[in-house]
Amino acid sequence: MAVAGIAFRAMDTTPEPPQSQSQPSARPPEAEPEPQSESAENSGTSEESEHPDRPGHPPRPAYDPPPAHAPRAPWADGIRFAFGTLTVLPVRGTRWDREAAHTGMLCAPLAGLTVGLCAAAVGGVLLFLGGGALLAAVATAAIPAVLTRGLHLDGLADTADGLGSGKPAEDALRIMKRSDIGPFGVITLLFVLLGQVAALAQLYGQSWAHGAVGAAVAGVAARCALTLAARVGVPAARPEGLGAAVAGTVPWRSAGVVAAVVVVGCAVVAIPFGPYAVVRHAFAALAALAAAELLLHHCRRRLGGVTGDVFGALAETAATMALVVLTFG
């Protein structure tokens, strides 16, 4: 506008009358206020007229904000991260940053499938040798503990002690960090393992195939619960540890896709058992994820976020719920 006005006055050949000293001098062009867009003027006047006491919006930063989640590393690095973090299998990890955690938590159900199949293989060998359904169930429940060094069961016990104490978040987190196990942890471990063994014994009582599929479904659903717990928006309760390393690394859409694939896959493997079994296995996976989400919600409310112990508790909760639902009907 100012440039156009100067050009217009330059084209005008009519001399301007001299100004008297009493009249104020004309403002220089550079002192004129910059024009504002119509939308900015309308939005500012409408907001100020409706809410005169409300402060104005802060200035927009000149840089783009960082992404809400970590970028995804190559799939090979993610698989190494998943197996190196969630199992004791001899997998050499090359990266342990948040980019690898993003891909690794997406691959967590694959690590769970491997653990479940190993447990089912040991149970099948015992059945073949005439060990009986109960012994096969005990071995199948023990193999995941062996392949994870008992970290998930330890996390379950520590989380039960922290939540059961009824103390504020800082004190509860301090209790969870101790090396000993309190009464809440012992009781929780006892009933969870009893539930898993009882459910597996009933499944093996039907056939080895039912028990093997149940072990695989439990392993996959347990690690899928970890994928959902690592989604964007779930904070870490501590600034260090596994929870801080993986918290918020998985986008919502990716976590939902993994969960859908897991549910569909659990239903597909039950096709040889009949249509009712297909529905039951899909519902078992959904119930496992729902139970883990309830526990996650409670941990976020009580502890402020997730920790490595919370991840272990989520995995054991989902696995137990899946096995229990598979025994229905």
Side-chain angles (χ1 to χ4, degrees):
M1 295 292 293
V3 176
I6 294 174
F8 181 80
R9 286 194 294 269
M11 295 174 60
D12 191 2
T13 58
T14 305
E16 295 182 357
Q19 297 179 352
S20 62
Q21 297 180 356
S22 60
Q23 294 179 349
S25 60
R27 295 169 59 186
E30 59 272 13
E32 295 181 4
E34 292 292 333
Q36 298 181 354
S37 62
E38 183 178 355
S39 60
E41 293 178 356
N42 293 338
S43 61
T45 56
S46 60
E47 290 183 2
E48 292 177 359
S49 60
E50 294 179 1
H51 304 283
D53 298 334
R54 179 180 298 177
H57 295 286
R60 184 177 180 180
Y63 59 88
D64 294 332
H69 57 83
R72 183 173 61 82
W75 288 108
D77 294 334
I79 293 176
R80 294 190 187 98
F81 183 93
F83 280 87
T85 304
L86 303 177
T87 70
V88 297
L89 297 176
V91 178
R92 176 180 294 181
T94 57
R95 297 180 57 178
W96 304 103
D97 50 19
R98 289 182 63 82
E99 288 80 5
H102 176 176
T103 313
M105 297 311 293
L106 291 177
C107 300
L110 182 60
L113 176 62
T114 303
V115 172
L117 292 178
C118 291
V122 173
V125 170
L126 290 176
L127 283 178
F128 177 78
L129 296 176
L134 182 58
L135 183 59
V138 173
T140 302
I143 291 301
V146 173
L147 293 181
T148 59
R149 289 195 183 97
L151 291 179
H152 292 168
L153 292 174
D154 180 70
L156 174 66
D158 290 340
T159 303
D161 284 333
L163 297 177
S165 66
K167 295 184 178 181
E170 294 183 1
D171 296 333
L173 290 173
R174 193 177 302 112
I175 292 173
M176 294 168 60
K177 208 169 185 179
R178 295 175 182 173
S179 58
D180 57 343
I181 299 178
F184 289 103
V186 173
I187 294 173
T188 303
L189 281 179
L190 176 63
F191 284 108
V192 165
L193 290 175
L194 282 176
Q196 292 181 4
V197 170
L200 286 168
Q202 181 173 340
L203 293 175
Y204 277 126
Q206 300 177 22
S207 68
W208 172 81
H210 283 85
V213 171
V217 168
V220 172
R223 275 65 179 184
C224 183
L226 304 186
T227 302
L228 294 177
R231 66 183 180 270
V232 173
V234 179
R238 297 193 189 100
E240 75 281 347
L242 177 62
V246 302
T249 58
V250 180
W252 271 84
R253 180 177 300 178
S254 300
V257 170
V258 171
V261 171
V262 166
V263 173
V264 173
C266 292
V268 169
V269 296
I271 292 178
F273 303 143
Y276 178 73
V278 172
V279 176
R280 185 171 67 249
H281 283 68
F283 181 72
L286 289 174
L289 299 180
E293 283 295 308
L294 289 177
L295 178 59
L296 175 61
H297 175 75
H298 185 59
C299 291
R300 291 180 62 182
R301 184 174 60 86
R302 286 278 285 106
L303 306 176
V306 294
T307 66
D309 291 331
V310 171
F311 275 98
L314 295 175
E316 294 297 331
T317 300
T320 306
M321 178 59 70
L323 291 174
V324 169
V325 173
L326 289 178
T327 62
F328 296 164

